[in-house]
């Protein structure tokens, strides 16, 4: 136990020195969200004087960082979606593996900045494919909104499986039917998952489909039950559709489903749907959960006559 305390003290000292250095380097761009919980964020732009792209890198430093554990991170940027988000996440994780045991945050920040510079050179963020014009409904956010709720980030910090490897088997992926309203189309996808690595594998596989990769938004949420801790590992992603990921995760919690990933693709048709878009996202997700036996349909629930208020969950072997 004494050795653990010494190691933690050394890690804490390393964290303090790293945070002081980053604060000195980045000034007002570096923000302390919760010092006691070791939660920080930094606003990153492609160009200080004339920024075109920006992102907020939010991190939690676990007690055993940097010696044995990576920072837990979350990238907040309304424009960052699909394959671009996956590519940036993969590059950060590769950097950690290459520099395991060392302070990594400066390298991460500069990697994100390099990514922004490359994207800004390729195209202006205001240029959108035909039929995919970014509107206020589509989740364009102001600076203050890009510092997202830390709840999902804290949940990841409490579960040490965030950086698990890809050795697990790719789960089978099921697709739900489509919902179309005012030229916008919604389609859900579902896969049984028991590790975050499987979540990443499923997302990678889905993005290999050009139609899914071209969706205006790919919103997802997952819940994994950890038997040893008797707790849930869960997370969600808005993919530019502000608050949609949190609403989808809330649906999974209400239905008490577990060991499942649900992705809802939306192809924007050019007409704003207002709050109806959230209804379609959740209905699409519920339909595929019913289709795959994770919960009751509304008719089945009414026939149950209130015998159990808890939705049936599908067991994953």
């Amino acid at each position: 136990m004494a050795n653990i305390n010494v190691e933690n003290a050394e890690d804490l000292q390393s964290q303090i020195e790293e945070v002081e250095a980053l604060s000195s380097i980045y000034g007002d761009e570096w923000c302390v969200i919760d010092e006691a919980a070791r939660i920080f964020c930094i606003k990153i732009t492609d160009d200080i004087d004339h920024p075109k792209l920006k992102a907020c890198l939010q991190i939690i430093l676990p007690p055993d960082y940097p010696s044995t554990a990576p920072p837990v991170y979350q990238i907040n940027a309304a424009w960052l979606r699909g394959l671009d988000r996956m590519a940036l996440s993969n590059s950060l994780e590769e950097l950690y593996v290459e520099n395991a045991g060392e302070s990594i945050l400066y390298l991460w920040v500069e990697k994100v900045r390099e990514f922004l510079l490359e994207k800004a050179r390729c195209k202006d963020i205001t240029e959108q494919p035909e039929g995919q014009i970014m509107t206020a409904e589509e989740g364009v956010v102001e600076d203050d909104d890009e510092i997202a709720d830390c709840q999902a980030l804290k949940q990841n910090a409490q579960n040490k499986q965030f950086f698990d490897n890809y050795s697990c088997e790719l789960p089978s992926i099921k697709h739900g039917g489509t919902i179309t309203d005012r030229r916008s189309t919604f389609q859900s996808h579902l896969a049984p998952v028991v590790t975050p690595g499987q979540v990443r594998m499923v997302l990678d596989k889905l993005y290999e489909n050009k139609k899914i990769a071209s969706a205006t938004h790919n919103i997802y949420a997952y819940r994994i039950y950890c038997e040893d801790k008797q707790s849930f590992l869960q997370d969600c992603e808005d993919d530019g559709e502000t608050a949609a990921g949190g609403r989808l995760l809330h649906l999974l919690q209400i239905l008490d489903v577990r060991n499942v990933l649900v992705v809802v693709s939306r192809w924007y048709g050019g007409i704003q749907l207002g709050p109806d878009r959230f209804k379609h996202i959740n209905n699409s997700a519920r339909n595929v959960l019913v289709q795959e036996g994770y919960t009751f349909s509304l008719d089945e629930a009414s026939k149950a006559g209130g015998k159990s208020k808890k939705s049936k969950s599908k067991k994953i072997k």
Side-chain angles (χ1 to χ4, degrees), residues 71-191:
V72 179
Y73 74 95
Q74 182 169 287
I75 306 169
N76 301 318
W79 60 270
L80 184 62
R81 305 194 296 271
L83 293 175
D84 286 339
R85 179 177 288 277
M86 194 67 63
L88 181 54
S89 295
N90 287 343
S91 66
L92 295 185
E93 292 170 19
E94 287 170 5
L95 263 180
Y96 170 75
V97 172
E98 293 169 2
N99 299 273
E102 301 176 13
S103 298
I104 195 71
L105 297 185
Y106 176 78
L107 294 178
W108 273 10
V109 171
E110 292 310 307
K111 175 60 71 172
V112 173
R113 197 183 306 280
E114 288 175 15
F115 185 86
L116 299 186
L117 281 167
E118 182 179 350
K119 293 301 294 181
R121 290 192 191 106
C122 293
K123 62 179 180 178
D124 192 288
I125 190 61
T126 60
E127 295 177 357
Q128 298 290 331
E130 184 178 353
Q132 294 186 16
I133 300 171
M134 187 69 74
T135 68
E137 175 182 282
E138 300 310 310
V140 176
V141 296
E142 300 298 329
D143 288 352
D144 292 342
D145 295 329
E146 290 194 348
I147 302 177
D149 183 3
C150 299
Q151 195 58 44
L153 195 63
K154 289 180 178 178
Q155 182 69 37
N156 282 331
Q158 293 165 2
N159 295 275
K160 297 296 184 178
Q161 302 173 4
F162 193 78
F163 275 79
D164 66 340
N165 58 41
Y166 283 74
S167 61
C168 47
E169 182 181 353
L170 174 67
S172 61
I173 303 173
K174 304 296 182 180
H175 306 281
T178 60
I179 296 174
T180 301
D181 181 10
R182 285 163 279 180
R183 298 206 300 256
S184 279
T185 300
F186 303 79
Q187 184 180 26
S188 55
H189 323 280
L190 177 150

Side-chain angles (χ1 to χ4, degrees), residues 15-56:
Q15 290 182 22
I16 292 171
E17 293 173 358
E18 184 177 19
V19 167
E20 288 178 351
L22 292 170
S23 178
S24 175
I25 293 169
Y26 296 113
D28 292 340
E29 292 181 340
W30 178 262
C31 304
V32 178
I33 305 298
D34 187 334
E35 187 167 7
R38 313 302 291 159
I39 305 175
F40 308 92
C41 79
I42 180 167
K43 294 180 180 180
I44 309 169
T45 60
D46 61 310
D47 186 281
I48 295 176
D49 297 324
H50 304 286
K52 293 182 180 178
L53 297 177
K54 60 186 176 183
C56 179

Side-chain angles (χ1 to χ4, degrees), residues 286-300:
R286 184 183 178 93
N287 289 344
V288 78
L289 287 166
V290 170
Q291 171 187 304
E292 297 305 315
Y294 281 82
T295 189
F296 289 119
S297 68
L298 294 178
D299 288 342
E300 289 171 335

